[in-house]
């Protein structure tokens, strides 16, 4: 679990790059996320539960209607990609920009 938190702490650089904050590098990401590993781990667990639900849904569709499996998986992959990008963007906003979720 520690490696996942470490990877996520590094990954908050990606939203910074997308908004052209090239001065925000890996060292800055570690500084900004220092002491927030518990919050990051909680967010990762929520994302993990989401992924588990997606996998169960995909397995259910493949059992019930195998002919729809590919189409359903393409849609789920797209939604998961968008949720993943939103996850990193939200972490960046909360950790670096001190935004609240409420």
């Amino acid at each position: 679990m520690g490696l996942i938190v470490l990877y996520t702490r590094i990954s908050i650089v990606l939203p910074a790059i997308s908004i052209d904050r090239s001065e925000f590098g890996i060292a800055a990401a570690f500084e900004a996320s220092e002491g927030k590993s518990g919050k990051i781990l909680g967010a990762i667990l929520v994302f993990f539960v989401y992924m588990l639900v997606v996998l169960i849904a995909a397995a259910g569709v493949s059992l019930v209607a195998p002919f729809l499996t590919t189409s359903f998986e393409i849609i789920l992959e797209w939604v998961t990609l968008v949720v993943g990008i939103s996850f990193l963007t939200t972490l960046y906003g909360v950790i670096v920009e001190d935004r609240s979720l409420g």
Side-chain angles (χ1 to χ4, degrees):
M1 220 29 143
L3 286 176
I4 295 172
V5 172
L6 179 69
Y7 172 76
T8 305
R9 287 179 68 186
I10 293 170
S11 295
I12 62 173
V13 172
L14 297 173
I17 292 169
S18 72
I19 60 171
D20 202 25
R21 285 200 54 203
S22 56
E23 76 279 357
F24 189 83
I26 293 174
F30 275 107
E31 274 183 44
S33 62
E34 187 175 348
K36 297 179 181 173
S37 293
K39 290 180 181 181
I40 292 171
L41 184 60
I44 290 169
L45 290 175
V46 168
F47 190 70
F48 175 76
V49 169
Y50 164 76
M51 290 299 298
L52 191 62
V53 169
V54 166
L55 288 172
I56 290 170
V61 166
S62 68
L63 289 174
V64 174
F67 57 91
L68 292 177
T69 301
T70 304
S71 300
F72 189 68
E73 285 181 358
I74 290 171
I75 293 167
L76 284 180
E77 288 296 325
W78 174 252
V79 171
T80 299
L81 174 69
V82 171
V83 169
I85 292 169
S86 298
F87 174 75
L88 285 178
T89 305
T90 301
L91 277 180
Y92 177 81
V94 169
I95 291 172
V96 177
E97 297 179 341
D98 290 324
R99 294 183 182 182
S100 67
L101 292 177

